[in-house]
Short mmCIF file of all heavy atoms in Angstrom, two decimals:
data_model
loop_
_atom_site.label_atom_id
_atom_site.label_comp_id
_atom_site.label_asym_id
_atom_site.label_seq_id
_atom_site.Cartn_x
_atom_site.Cartn_y
_atom_site.Cartn_z
N MET A 1 -202.46 8.31 99.34
CA MET A 1 -201.75 8.35 98.07
C MET A 1 -200.67 7.16 98.21
O MET A 1 -199.94 7.09 99.07
CB MET A 1 -201.04 9.59 97.88
CG MET A 1 -200.30 9.59 96.57
SD MET A 1 -199.39 11.18 96.22
CE MET A 1 -200.62 12.38 96.43
N VAL A 2 -200.77 6.32 97.18
CA VAL A 2 -199.80 5.14 97.10
C VAL A 2 -198.91 5.51 96.04
O VAL A 2 -199.30 5.84 94.86
CB VAL A 2 -200.60 3.88 96.80
CG1 VAL A 2 -199.55 2.73 96.72
CG2 VAL A 2 -201.64 3.56 97.82
N ARG A 3 -197.56 5.34 96.15
CA ARG A 3 -196.55 5.61 95.22
C ARG A 3 -195.63 4.44 95.13
O ARG A 3 -195.23 3.88 96.18
CB ARG A 3 -195.75 6.92 95.56
CG ARG A 3 -196.58 8.10 95.51
CD ARG A 3 -195.71 9.34 95.79
NE ARG A 3 -196.45 10.53 95.63
CZ ARG A 3 -196.18 11.72 96.12
NH1 ARG A 3 -195.25 11.80 97.00
NH2 ARG A 3 -196.99 12.79 95.83
N ILE A 4 -195.23 4.19 93.88
CA ILE A 4 -194.28 3.03 93.66
C ILE A 4 -193.02 3.66 93.09
O ILE A 4 -193.05 4.46 92.12
CB ILE A 4 -194.93 1.95 92.70
CG1 ILE A 4 -196.24 1.47 93.25
CG2 ILE A 4 -193.89 0.92 92.36
CD1 ILE A 4 -196.98 0.64 92.30
N TRP A 5 -191.93 3.34 93.68
CA TRP A 5 -190.65 3.89 93.30
C TRP A 5 -189.61 2.94 92.81
O TRP A 5 -189.52 1.80 93.30
CB TRP A 5 -190.00 4.56 94.57
CG TRP A 5 -190.81 5.50 95.25
CD1 TRP A 5 -191.79 5.28 96.19
CD2 TRP A 5 -190.81 6.96 95.10
NE1 TRP A 5 -192.44 6.47 96.62
CE2 TRP A 5 -191.79 7.53 95.96
CE3 TRP A 5 -190.03 7.79 94.24
CZ2 TRP A 5 -192.04 8.87 95.93
CZ3 TRP A 5 -190.35 9.16 94.35
CH2 TRP A 5 -191.31 9.65 95.19
N LEU A 6 -188.87 3.34 91.77
CA LEU A 6 -187.79 2.58 91.33
C LEU A 6 -186.54 3.46 91.58
O LEU A 6 -186.28 4.43 90.88
CB LEU A 6 -187.91 2.34 89.75
CG LEU A 6 -186.68 1.63 89.05
CD1 LEU A 6 -186.45 0.28 89.71
CD2 LEU A 6 -186.90 1.61 87.57
N GLY A 7 -185.92 3.15 92.66
CA GLY A 7 -184.85 3.97 93.22
C GLY A 7 -185.38 5.37 93.58
O GLY A 7 -186.31 5.41 94.41
N ASP A 8 -184.92 6.46 92.99
CA ASP A 8 -185.51 7.73 93.22
C ASP A 8 -186.54 8.19 92.28
O ASP A 8 -187.02 9.29 92.29
CB ASP A 8 -184.35 8.80 93.24
CG ASP A 8 -183.37 8.60 94.38
OD1 ASP A 8 -183.79 8.09 95.38
OD2 ASP A 8 -182.16 9.04 94.26
N HIS A 9 -186.94 7.29 91.28
CA HIS A 9 -187.89 7.66 90.30
C HIS A 9 -189.28 7.17 90.60
O HIS A 9 -189.45 5.94 90.88
CB HIS A 9 -187.45 7.12 88.89
CG HIS A 9 -185.98 7.53 88.48
ND1 HIS A 9 -185.84 8.81 87.99
CD2 HIS A 9 -184.86 6.95 88.62
CE1 HIS A 9 -184.54 8.93 87.81
NE2 HIS A 9 -183.89 7.79 88.16
N LEU A 10 -190.22 8.02 90.61
CA LEU A 10 -191.63 7.66 90.79
C LEU A 10 -192.19 7.09 89.51
O LEU A 10 -192.13 7.71 88.45
CB LEU A 10 -192.46 8.91 91.22
CG LEU A 10 -193.96 8.75 91.43
CD1 LEU A 10 -194.15 7.87 92.61
CD2 LEU A 10 -194.59 10.05 91.52
N ILE A 11 -192.62 5.75 89.56
CA ILE A 11 -193.03 5.13 88.41
C ILE A 11 -194.64 4.99 88.38
O ILE A 11 -195.18 4.68 87.32
CB ILE A 11 -192.40 3.77 88.13
CG1 ILE A 11 -192.63 2.81 89.33
CG2 ILE A 11 -190.96 4.08 87.98
CD1 ILE A 11 -192.26 1.40 88.97
N ALA A 12 -195.26 5.08 89.62
CA ALA A 12 -196.67 4.94 89.59
C ALA A 12 -197.24 5.66 90.80
O ALA A 12 -196.58 5.75 91.89
CB ALA A 12 -197.11 3.43 89.65
N GLU A 13 -198.45 6.27 90.68
CA GLU A 13 -199.07 6.96 91.83
C GLU A 13 -200.58 6.72 91.72
O GLU A 13 -201.17 6.82 90.63
CB GLU A 13 -198.79 8.45 91.60
CG GLU A 13 -199.32 9.35 92.75
CD GLU A 13 -198.88 10.74 92.70
OE1 GLU A 13 -199.46 11.45 91.77
OE2 GLU A 13 -197.90 11.18 93.32
N TYR A 14 -201.19 6.54 92.92
CA TYR A 14 -202.60 6.28 93.02
C TYR A 14 -203.15 7.02 94.17
O TYR A 14 -202.71 6.91 95.29
CB TYR A 14 -202.92 4.78 93.08
CG TYR A 14 -204.34 4.36 93.28
CD1 TYR A 14 -205.23 4.53 92.22
CD2 TYR A 14 -204.75 3.96 94.38
CE1 TYR A 14 -206.58 4.23 92.33
CE2 TYR A 14 -206.13 3.61 94.60
CZ TYR A 14 -206.96 3.70 93.55
OH TYR A 14 -208.30 3.40 93.68
N VAL A 15 -204.19 7.82 93.92
CA VAL A 15 -204.85 8.55 94.96
C VAL A 15 -206.32 8.01 95.25
O VAL A 15 -207.06 7.78 94.32
CB VAL A 15 -204.92 10.09 94.66
CG1 VAL A 15 -205.63 10.85 95.76
CG2 VAL A 15 -203.56 10.61 94.37
N ALA A 16 -206.59 7.67 96.48
CA ALA A 16 -207.84 7.14 96.82
C ALA A 16 -208.18 7.25 98.35
O ALA A 16 -207.28 7.69 99.06
CB ALA A 16 -207.99 5.66 96.44
N GLU A 17 -209.34 6.88 98.76
CA GLU A 17 -209.67 6.86 100.20
C GLU A 17 -208.72 5.73 100.77
O GLU A 17 -208.27 4.90 100.17
CB GLU A 17 -211.10 6.44 100.40
CG GLU A 17 -212.16 7.37 99.79
CD GLU A 17 -212.45 7.13 98.33
OE1 GLU A 17 -212.11 6.03 97.85
OE2 GLU A 17 -213.05 7.98 97.70
N PRO A 18 -208.53 5.84 102.11
CA PRO A 18 -207.62 5.00 102.77
C PRO A 18 -207.79 3.47 102.49
O PRO A 18 -206.85 2.78 102.30
CB PRO A 18 -207.81 5.33 104.24
CG PRO A 18 -208.16 6.69 104.24
CD PRO A 18 -208.98 6.91 103.05
N ASP A 19 -209.10 3.00 102.53
CA ASP A 19 -209.33 1.55 102.35
C ASP A 19 -208.97 1.14 100.97
O ASP A 19 -208.39 0.08 100.73
CB ASP A 19 -210.76 1.22 102.72
CG ASP A 19 -211.81 1.96 101.88
OD1 ASP A 19 -211.54 3.14 101.49
OD2 ASP A 19 -212.86 1.35 101.62
N ARG A 20 -209.29 1.96 99.96
CA ARG A 20 -208.91 1.64 98.59
C ARG A 20 -207.49 1.70 98.32
O ARG A 20 -206.86 0.91 97.58
CB ARG A 20 -209.70 2.56 97.62
CG ARG A 20 -211.14 2.13 97.53
CD ARG A 20 -211.84 2.96 96.40
NE ARG A 20 -213.17 2.44 96.14
CZ ARG A 20 -213.56 1.92 95.01
NH1 ARG A 20 -212.81 2.00 93.99
NH2 ARG A 20 -214.76 1.42 94.93
N ALA A 21 -206.84 2.70 98.90
CA ALA A 21 -205.35 2.87 98.82
C ALA A 21 -204.63 1.63 99.42
O ALA A 21 -203.72 1.07 98.81
CB ALA A 21 -204.89 4.14 99.46
N SER A 22 -205.24 1.13 100.51
CA SER A 22 -204.56 -0.06 101.17
C SER A 22 -204.80 -1.25 100.24
O SER A 22 -203.82 -2.10 100.12
CB SER A 22 -205.29 -0.29 102.52
OG SER A 22 -204.86 -1.40 103.04
N ARG A 23 -205.95 -1.38 99.63
CA ARG A 23 -206.19 -2.46 98.73
C ARG A 23 -205.27 -2.45 97.54
O ARG A 23 -204.68 -3.44 97.09
CB ARG A 23 -207.62 -2.44 98.28
CG ARG A 23 -208.02 -3.43 97.27
CD ARG A 23 -209.52 -3.42 96.93
NE ARG A 23 -209.71 -4.15 95.70
CZ ARG A 23 -210.59 -3.80 94.81
NH1 ARG A 23 -211.30 -2.71 94.96
NH2 ARG A 23 -210.74 -4.57 93.74
N TYR A 24 -205.10 -1.24 96.96
CA TYR A 24 -204.19 -1.05 95.79
C TYR A 24 -202.73 -1.47 96.21
O TYR A 24 -202.11 -2.14 95.46
CB TYR A 24 -204.27 0.42 95.36
CG TYR A 24 -203.39 0.73 94.20
CD1 TYR A 24 -203.85 0.42 92.88
CD2 TYR A 24 -202.21 1.36 94.40
CE1 TYR A 24 -203.05 0.69 91.80
CE2 TYR A 24 -201.40 1.69 93.27
CZ TYR A 24 -201.85 1.29 91.97
OH TYR A 24 -201.09 1.61 90.91
N GLN A 25 -202.38 -0.98 97.41
CA GLN A 25 -200.99 -1.38 97.89
C GLN A 25 -200.84 -2.91 98.03
O GLN A 25 -199.86 -3.46 97.55
CB GLN A 25 -200.68 -0.71 99.26
CG GLN A 25 -199.30 -1.08 99.78
CD GLN A 25 -199.17 -0.69 101.22
OE1 GLN A 25 -200.03 -0.52 101.89
NE2 GLN A 25 -197.83 -0.63 101.60
N ARG A 26 -201.84 -3.56 98.51
CA ARG A 26 -201.74 -5.02 98.63
C ARG A 26 -201.58 -5.75 97.35
O ARG A 26 -200.95 -6.71 97.17
CB ARG A 26 -202.94 -5.50 99.43
CG ARG A 26 -202.87 -5.34 101.00
CD ARG A 26 -203.87 -6.04 101.66
NE ARG A 26 -205.24 -6.01 101.25
CZ ARG A 26 -206.16 -5.06 101.53
NH1 ARG A 26 -205.82 -4.20 102.42
NH2 ARG A 26 -207.36 -5.04 101.03
N VAL A 27 -202.34 -5.19 96.32
CA VAL A 27 -202.32 -5.81 94.95
C VAL A 27 -201.07 -5.55 94.30
O VAL A 27 -200.41 -6.39 93.53
CB VAL A 27 -203.54 -5.23 94.14
CG1 VAL A 27 -203.38 -5.66 92.72
CG2 VAL A 27 -204.82 -5.82 94.71
N MET A 28 -200.41 -4.34 94.42
CA MET A 28 -199.28 -3.95 93.69
C MET A 28 -198.00 -4.51 94.35
O MET A 28 -197.04 -4.73 93.63
CB MET A 28 -199.20 -2.41 93.66
CG MET A 28 -200.21 -1.75 92.73
SD MET A 28 -199.96 -2.26 91.07
CE MET A 28 -201.58 -3.08 90.76
N THR A 29 -197.95 -4.82 95.69
CA THR A 29 -196.77 -5.26 96.29
C THR A 29 -196.18 -6.47 95.67
O THR A 29 -195.01 -6.56 95.35
CB THR A 29 -196.96 -5.47 97.78
OG1 THR A 29 -197.29 -4.20 98.37
CG2 THR A 29 -195.84 -5.98 98.49
N PRO A 30 -197.00 -7.54 95.34
CA PRO A 30 -196.39 -8.71 94.72
C PRO A 30 -195.98 -8.44 93.22
O PRO A 30 -195.03 -9.11 92.72
CB PRO A 30 -197.49 -9.80 94.74
CG PRO A 30 -198.56 -9.32 95.53
CD PRO A 30 -198.40 -7.82 95.76
N LYS A 31 -196.63 -7.50 92.57
CA LYS A 31 -196.30 -7.18 91.16
C LYS A 31 -194.94 -6.43 91.08
O LYS A 31 -194.36 -6.46 90.05
CB LYS A 31 -197.41 -6.42 90.62
CG LYS A 31 -198.67 -7.17 90.39
CD LYS A 31 -199.79 -6.38 89.76
CE LYS A 31 -201.11 -7.07 89.73
NZ LYS A 31 -201.13 -7.87 88.47
N PHE A 32 -194.65 -5.66 92.14
CA PHE A 32 -193.43 -4.89 92.10
C PHE A 32 -192.49 -5.30 93.22
O PHE A 32 -191.98 -4.48 93.96
CB PHE A 32 -193.81 -3.42 92.28
CG PHE A 32 -194.64 -2.86 91.04
CD1 PHE A 32 -196.04 -2.73 91.08
CD2 PHE A 32 -193.94 -2.46 89.86
CE1 PHE A 32 -196.70 -2.25 89.99
CE2 PHE A 32 -194.66 -1.97 88.83
CZ PHE A 32 -196.01 -1.92 88.91
N THR A 33 -192.29 -6.59 93.27
CA THR A 33 -191.36 -7.07 94.31
C THR A 33 -189.93 -6.46 94.14
O THR A 33 -189.48 -6.30 93.11
CB THR A 33 -191.22 -8.62 94.11
OG1 THR A 33 -192.47 -9.24 94.26
CG2 THR A 33 -190.22 -9.20 95.13
N GLY A 34 -189.45 -5.90 95.28
CA GLY A 34 -188.16 -5.30 95.33
C GLY A 34 -188.22 -3.78 95.20
O GLY A 34 -187.22 -3.13 95.39
N LEU A 35 -189.37 -3.23 94.81
CA LEU A 35 -189.49 -1.85 94.71
C LEU A 35 -190.11 -1.23 95.94
O LEU A 35 -190.80 -1.92 96.64
CB LEU A 35 -190.37 -1.41 93.49
CG LEU A 35 -189.83 -1.87 92.04
CD1 LEU A 35 -190.75 -1.33 91.00
CD2 LEU A 35 -188.39 -1.42 91.83
N ARG A 36 -189.80 0.03 96.16
CA ARG A 36 -190.28 0.66 97.42
C ARG A 36 -191.74 1.15 97.07
O ARG A 36 -192.01 1.86 96.12
CB ARG A 36 -189.42 1.89 97.79
CG ARG A 36 -189.76 2.56 99.04
CD ARG A 36 -188.72 3.46 99.49
NE ARG A 36 -188.30 4.38 98.44
CZ ARG A 36 -188.56 5.63 98.36
NH1 ARG A 36 -189.18 6.32 99.27
NH2 ARG A 36 -188.01 6.32 97.35
N ILE A 37 -192.70 0.81 97.95
CA ILE A 37 -194.07 1.34 97.78
C ILE A 37 -194.39 2.08 99.07
O ILE A 37 -194.26 1.53 100.15
CB ILE A 37 -195.04 0.07 97.60
CG1 ILE A 37 -194.73 -0.63 96.34
CG2 ILE A 37 -196.45 0.63 97.57
CD1 ILE A 37 -195.60 -1.84 96.13
N THR A 38 -194.79 3.30 98.96
CA THR A 38 -195.07 4.20 100.01
C THR A 38 -196.55 4.61 100.07
O THR A 38 -197.18 4.68 98.99
CB THR A 38 -194.27 5.50 99.99
OG1 THR A 38 -194.55 6.26 98.77
CG2 THR A 38 -192.65 5.20 100.03
N VAL A 39 -197.08 4.84 101.27
CA VAL A 39 -198.45 5.28 101.39
C VAL A 39 -198.36 6.45 102.24
O VAL A 39 -197.81 6.51 103.32
CB VAL A 39 -199.31 4.16 102.15
CG1 VAL A 39 -200.69 4.72 102.34
CG2 VAL A 39 -199.31 2.88 101.35
N ASP A 40 -199.00 7.61 101.72
CA ASP A 40 -199.03 8.86 102.47
C ASP A 40 -200.49 9.22 102.75
O ASP A 40 -201.22 9.50 101.78
CB ASP A 40 -198.38 9.96 101.57
CG ASP A 40 -198.37 11.28 102.27
OD1 ASP A 40 -198.76 11.39 103.52
OD2 ASP A 40 -197.94 12.32 101.61
N ASN A 41 -200.90 9.04 103.98
CA ASN A 41 -202.25 9.28 104.33
C ASN A 41 -202.68 10.72 104.43
O ASN A 41 -203.76 11.08 104.44
CB ASN A 41 -202.52 8.64 105.71
CG ASN A 41 -202.44 7.08 105.60
OD1 ASN A 41 -202.80 6.53 104.66
ND2 ASN A 41 -202.08 6.51 106.71
N SER A 42 -201.69 11.64 104.46
CA SER A 42 -201.93 13.03 104.59
C SER A 42 -201.97 13.75 103.20
O SER A 42 -202.18 14.92 103.14
CB SER A 42 -200.88 13.70 105.48
OG SER A 42 -199.62 13.62 104.85
N ALA A 43 -201.82 13.03 102.14
CA ALA A 43 -201.79 13.63 100.85
C ALA A 43 -203.19 14.11 100.47
O ALA A 43 -204.18 13.39 100.67
CB ALA A 43 -201.24 12.62 99.77
N GLY A 44 -203.21 15.21 99.85
CA GLY A 44 -204.43 15.77 99.31
C GLY A 44 -204.70 15.26 97.89
O GLY A 44 -203.88 14.61 97.29
N GLY A 45 -205.87 15.64 97.33
CA GLY A 45 -206.12 15.28 96.01
C GLY A 45 -207.47 14.50 95.93
O GLY A 45 -208.01 14.08 96.93
N SER A 46 -207.86 14.27 94.69
CA SER A 46 -209.19 13.63 94.55
C SER A 46 -209.02 12.18 94.45
O SER A 46 -208.03 11.67 93.87
CB SER A 46 -209.92 14.21 93.26
OG SER A 46 -209.10 14.01 92.18
N ALA A 47 -209.89 11.38 94.94
CA ALA A 47 -209.91 9.93 94.94
C ALA A 47 -210.24 9.48 93.48
O ALA A 47 -211.02 10.16 92.84
CB ALA A 47 -210.77 9.36 95.90
N SER A 48 -209.70 8.39 93.04
CA SER A 48 -210.01 7.82 91.78
C SER A 48 -210.29 6.48 91.92
O SER A 48 -209.94 5.78 92.91
CB SER A 48 -208.86 8.08 90.78
OG SER A 48 -207.70 7.48 91.33
N GLU A 49 -211.03 5.89 90.89
CA GLU A 49 -211.40 4.43 90.93
C GLU A 49 -210.21 3.62 90.57
O GLU A 49 -209.28 4.08 89.87
CB GLU A 49 -212.56 4.16 89.89
CG GLU A 49 -213.84 4.82 90.25
CD GLU A 49 -214.53 4.12 91.50
OE1 GLU A 49 -214.39 2.89 91.63
OE2 GLU A 49 -214.99 4.85 92.33
N LEU A 50 -210.17 2.31 91.01
CA LEU A 50 -209.18 1.44 90.56
C LEU A 50 -209.38 1.15 89.11
O LEU A 50 -210.47 1.08 88.60
CB LEU A 50 -209.35 0.09 91.31
CG LEU A 50 -208.80 0.08 92.79
CD1 LEU A 50 -209.14 -1.21 93.37
CD2 LEU A 50 -207.30 0.33 92.80
N PRO A 51 -208.34 1.10 88.30
CA PRO A 51 -208.54 0.84 86.87
C PRO A 51 -209.16 -0.55 86.61
O PRO A 51 -208.88 -1.51 87.34
CB PRO A 51 -207.15 0.91 86.31
CG PRO A 51 -206.18 0.86 87.48
CD PRO A 51 -206.99 1.20 88.65
N SER A 52 -210.05 -0.66 85.62
CA SER A 52 -210.71 -1.86 85.31
C SER A 52 -209.83 -2.78 84.40
O SER A 52 -210.13 -3.99 84.36
CB SER A 52 -212.10 -1.65 84.68
OG SER A 52 -211.92 -0.87 83.41
N GLU A 53 -208.96 -2.17 83.73
CA GLU A 53 -208.08 -3.03 82.86
C GLU A 53 -206.81 -3.38 83.51
O GLU A 53 -206.38 -2.70 84.43
CB GLU A 53 -207.79 -2.31 81.52
CG GLU A 53 -206.84 -1.14 81.63
CD GLU A 53 -207.46 0.13 82.09
OE1 GLU A 53 -208.64 0.27 82.40
OE2 GLU A 53 -206.65 1.13 82.22
N GLN A 54 -206.18 -4.49 83.06
CA GLN A 54 -204.87 -4.85 83.58
C GLN A 54 -203.85 -3.83 83.12
O GLN A 54 -203.68 -3.58 81.84
CB GLN A 54 -204.46 -6.26 83.07
CG GLN A 54 -203.28 -6.79 83.62
CD GLN A 54 -203.02 -8.25 83.18
OE1 GLN A 54 -203.73 -8.88 82.52
NE2 GLN A 54 -201.88 -8.78 83.65
N LEU A 55 -203.07 -3.25 83.99
CA LEU A 55 -202.16 -2.19 83.65
C LEU A 55 -200.81 -2.78 83.20
O LEU A 55 -200.09 -2.11 82.48
CB LEU A 55 -201.94 -1.29 84.96
CG LEU A 55 -203.17 -0.53 85.35
CD1 LEU A 55 -202.74 0.27 86.60
CD2 LEU A 55 -203.70 0.35 84.33
N TRP A 56 -200.48 -3.93 83.63
CA TRP A 56 -199.19 -4.57 83.26
C TRP A 56 -199.48 -5.92 82.59
O TRP A 56 -199.33 -6.95 83.28
CB TRP A 56 -198.28 -4.68 84.52
CG TRP A 56 -198.13 -3.35 85.15
CD1 TRP A 56 -198.80 -2.90 86.20
CD2 TRP A 56 -197.17 -2.39 84.78
NE1 TRP A 56 -198.40 -1.68 86.53
CE2 TRP A 56 -197.34 -1.28 85.76
CE3 TRP A 56 -196.24 -2.23 83.84
CZ2 TRP A 56 -196.63 -0.16 85.70
CZ3 TRP A 56 -195.48 -1.11 83.77
CH2 TRP A 56 -195.68 -0.06 84.72
N PRO A 57 -199.81 -5.94 81.30
CA PRO A 57 -200.19 -7.14 80.67
C PRO A 57 -199.00 -8.12 80.38
O PRO A 57 -199.28 -9.32 80.05
CB PRO A 57 -200.87 -6.72 79.38
CG PRO A 57 -200.14 -5.41 79.05
CD PRO A 57 -199.90 -4.78 80.42
N PHE A 58 -197.86 -7.67 80.44
CA PHE A 58 -196.65 -8.51 80.07
C PHE A 58 -196.03 -9.00 81.32
O PHE A 58 -195.83 -8.36 82.33
CB PHE A 58 -195.67 -7.75 79.28
CG PHE A 58 -196.30 -7.10 78.00
CD1 PHE A 58 -196.54 -5.69 78.00
CD2 PHE A 58 -196.64 -7.91 76.97
CE1 PHE A 58 -197.08 -5.21 76.74
CE2 PHE A 58 -197.22 -7.35 75.86
CZ PHE A 58 -197.53 -6.00 75.78
N THR A 59 -195.54 -10.29 81.22
CA THR A 59 -194.75 -10.90 82.36
C THR A 59 -193.29 -11.10 81.92
O THR A 59 -193.04 -11.26 80.77
CB THR A 59 -195.38 -12.19 82.74
OG1 THR A 59 -195.38 -13.08 81.58
CG2 THR A 59 -196.76 -12.04 83.22
N VAL A 60 -192.49 -11.09 82.93
CA VAL A 60 -191.10 -11.36 82.66
C VAL A 60 -190.86 -12.82 82.33
O VAL A 60 -191.40 -13.71 83.05
CB VAL A 60 -190.21 -10.94 83.88
CG1 VAL A 60 -188.77 -11.33 83.65
CG2 VAL A 60 -190.45 -9.51 84.17
N GLN A 61 -190.16 -13.13 81.30
CA GLN A 61 -189.85 -14.56 80.84
C GLN A 61 -188.50 -14.84 80.92
O GLN A 61 -187.65 -14.02 80.78
CB GLN A 61 -190.48 -14.75 79.49
CG GLN A 61 -191.93 -14.49 79.48
CD GLN A 61 -192.59 -14.87 78.11
OE1 GLN A 61 -191.89 -15.47 77.21
NE2 GLN A 61 -193.89 -14.61 77.93
#
């Protein structure tokens, strides 16, 4: 399970097999620079596919 945190607030969560979770973490790290990203390998839950659409279409200007 990969989680993205803004302070104490969970803003995104992704559950997948370890290799997909690692890939997701690598992709999200540059997009969320400065935010804490955690990976919990012991989390239960069903795996899901990576989304096919861009989740964050807007950029900071």
Side-chain angles (χ1 to χ4, degrees):
M1 180 180 309
V2 180
R3 292 180 173 158
I4 302 172
W5 302 87
L6 177 60
D8 292 335
H9 303 282
L10 178 65
I11 61 169
E13 183 175 79
Y14 177 70
V15 179
E17 297 87 13
D19 60 327
R20 285 186 172 240
S22 177
R23 177 177 163 215
Y24 182 80
Q25 179 193 19
R26 284 193 310 272
V27 170
M28 291 297 118
T29 297
K31 293 179 182 275
F32 293 99
T33 302
L35 299 185
R36 183 170 48 110
I37 299 178
T38 60
V39 179
D40 183 4
N41 293 328
S42 64
S46 60
S48 57
E49 291 292 321
L50 286 172
S52 59
E53 73 278 359
Q54 184 175 359
L55 297 178
W56 303 96
F58 304 107
T59 58
V60 177
Q61 298 184 8

